[in-house]
Amino acid sequence: MPHDGHHSHDVPPDGWKTSGVKVIPGDSLDANTAQTPGMNRAAAINAARVGAQKIWAGTVHIHPDAKTGAHHHGALESVIYIVSGRARMRWGERLEFTAEAGPGDFIFIPPYVPHQEINASTDETLSCVLVRSDNEAVVVNLDIEPVEKPEHVLWIDPIHKHGGV
């Protein structure tokens, strides 16, 4: 059977015009989403805005020297991409582990992991893009008292094979 470039999905009557690609201008994000003290989340992609079924995306801004409350995102997986600024992540049952990330770095947060985002800079806003594995932003804010000196965990990835910051 010749391949004509079409998949087995039904093409809508309008040929995908209104149900195809959607551009979400950066100045039209929706701040009416689950929040955690110390950060400003804004939704770009979700079920209500674009009909997303399996993914949520938006932005996060954390003010200089600010720390969020401890929280987790239920069964969702989260990916954070650092646009600008310096992020310090703390995680664990007592937020006892820490690692840092800068512009161009990605952070992966598995389901149910208690964590806290910290802006490691005293004078620059931490700006991030956030993607979650469901169409609604689940946020469970936790009442955890952070430890004084968290254990530092170096990034291990193909670029920092022996650990790096």
Side-chain angles (χ1 to χ4, degrees), residues 31 35 43 53 69 83 86 92 97 105 136 144 153-154:
Q35 299 292 339
Q53 298 299 302
V83 176
R86 188 86 192 152
F97 308 111
D105 292 342
E136 295 301 331
I144 293 177
V153 177
L154 298 178

Side-chain angles (χ1 to χ4, degrees), residues 43-155:
I45 308 297
N46 62 15
R49 304 202 78 207
V50 299
Q53 298 299 302
K54 300 176 182 176
I55 201 166
W56 183 100
T59 59
V60 175
H61 298 285
I62 302 178
H63 303 294
D65 217 19
K67 300 169 179 63
T68 72
H71 59 283
H72 70 71
H73 301 288
L76 306 188
E77 293 179 326
S78 298
V79 173
I80 298 172
Y81 173 76
I82 311 299
V83 176
S84 64
R86 188 86 192 152
R88 183 179 304 121
M89 297 293 296
R90 291 175 70 166
W91 71 94
E93 290 301 313
R94 306 290 301 165
L95 303 176
E96 65 268 35
F97 308 111
T98 184
E100 292 198 4
D105 292 342
F106 287 82
I107 298 169
F108 173 68
I109 304 167
Y112 299 105
V113 174
H115 63 281
Q116 172 187 40
E117 286 100 341
I118 298 164
N119 186 337
S121 170
T122 57
D123 58 6
E124 186 181 3
T125 297
L126 172 59
S127 297
C128 308
V129 173
L130 173 59
V131 179
R132 297 227 181 88
S133 61
D134 197 356
N135 61 10
E136 295 301 331
V138 174
V139 176
V140 179
N141 292 311
L142 303 171
D143 187 16
I144 293 177
E145 189 66 36
V147 295
E148 285 295 318
K149 295 182 180 177
E151 176 186 338
H152 191 78
V153 177
L154 298 178
W155 291 126

